[in-house]
Amino acid sequence: MEIIKKGTTIQSLQIGMGIVESIAKQGRPLKFSDIQDLTQITKSNLYKYLNTFTQLGVLYRNKDTGEYVLGSKLIEYGMAAVDQENVIDRISPFLHDINEKSSSTVLFSLWTHNGPMIVKDVNTNRGLNIGAQIGTLLPIRSATGKVFMAFMDEQIIHEWKANEFKQIPQELVSQLEKECRFVIEKGIAFAREPLVSSVSSVSFPVFNYKKKILGAVTVVGFSEFIPKNEYHELSHYFIQISKEISGCFGY
């Protein structure tokens, strides 16, 4: 946590943002008395804060009920933040760190209507041919595919899953569904040589503030260097950095 030096912040602004945060956390319209109970601020000071925020559009006060909710200005700010959110740019430094730590190729995949697609790769050892480049669609049996199967909205992936399941034996379908439950519980997926002989992968999700999956980070390399389960030292590292990356998007 960053240490803030005394005298370098504006206390009244901190108090004001605390009021807004208290209202936001409740998730419902609040009366003046409700807000005072939450913040323990004197009536006269609280009135000034609420009046100021209402004038600025940060809060909205219903004239009939007198209740306060978050205002249109906050929605405007939020939309601006979303427009500036470039997922690949934000996670690229993490991908390089993972590449250095694992000494293996690191991929980042996004969802498309045809399934998960590789949109970024980091590999300092270009001599290794893993059979997956930018633009490659990854199958459901891959570690990446398992992550999207586990966390993507069922309505979105329903057609993809149905098509993928047609191409594999029924026993593998049952195994995938079992693995899916594991991925949801542990937050990490493993695949032993699903595409290329002697090449395996491990993958984890990247979430936004609503715990909606933004994409998947996948580490691919020779099977002897890729973790087989969640107990491996590298697996612990992947699970931890997964949380750090998602934290950048408010999760």
Side-chain angles (χ1 to χ4, degrees), residues 37-215:
D37 289 340
L38 288 170
T39 61
Q40 297 297 303
I41 297 174
T42 62
K43 289 183 178 181
S44 57
N45 283 338
L46 181 59
Y47 172 79
K48 294 175 184 177
Y49 279 112
L50 295 180
N51 192 41
T52 300
F53 281 137
T54 301
Q55 290 181 5
L56 293 173
V58 174
L59 296 176
Y60 172 79
R61 181 178 181 271
N62 187 305
K63 294 181 179 179
D64 296 326
T65 64
E67 295 174 322
Y68 293 86
V69 295
L70 299 182
S72 59
K73 185 60 67 174
L74 284 182
I75 298 174
E76 181 182 330
Y77 292 155
M79 292 302 296
V82 170
D83 289 341
Q84 293 172 8
E85 175 180 279
N86 187 316
V87 177
I88 297 176
D89 284 350
R90 287 197 186 191
I91 71 165
S92 286
F94 291 101
L95 301 184
H96 285 279
D97 288 344
I98 296 169
N99 174 243
E100 183 176 350
K101 176 76 172 179
S102 65
S103 300
S104 299
T105 299
V106 183
L107 309 173
F108 182 65
S109 303
L110 294 174
W111 179 258
T112 73
H113 64 280
N114 290 320
M117 176 186 287
I118 300 171
V119 296
K120 175 77 175 180
D121 74 319
V122 177
N123 182 12
T124 54
N125 181 13
R126 288 294 170 183
L128 174 62
N129 179 13
I130 61 170
Q133 291 79 37
I134 292 176
T136 300
L137 290 168
L138 297 171
I140 202 167
R141 293 186 298 112
S142 67
T144 308
K146 293 174 184 177
V147 166
F148 280 99
M149 178 182 171
F151 295 107
M152 182 65 75
D153 189 292
E154 178 64 28
Q155 291 182 330
I156 297 175
I157 66 171
H158 177 74
E159 184 176 350
W160 171 70
K161 278 177 58 178
N163 291 333
E164 289 285 315
F165 285 171
K166 290 177 183 177
Q167 303 175 41
I168 59 177
Q170 182 57 44
E171 59 267 24
L172 286 182
V173 172
S174 301
Q175 181 181 332
L176 276 172
E177 291 174 339
K178 181 179 179 180
E179 288 188 60
C180 183
R181 293 190 290 272
F182 169 88
V183 176
I184 293 173
E185 179 184 354
K186 302 296 183 180
I188 192 168
F190 304 91
R192 307 305 293 175
E193 306 179 4
L195 303 177
V196 181
S197 177
S198 301
V199 175
S200 296
S201 60
V202 56
S203 184
F204 57 81
V206 176
F207 296 116
N208 66 9
Y209 69 102
K210 292 184 176 180
K211 201 183 178 181
K212 297 290 186 180
I213 185 171
L214 293 173

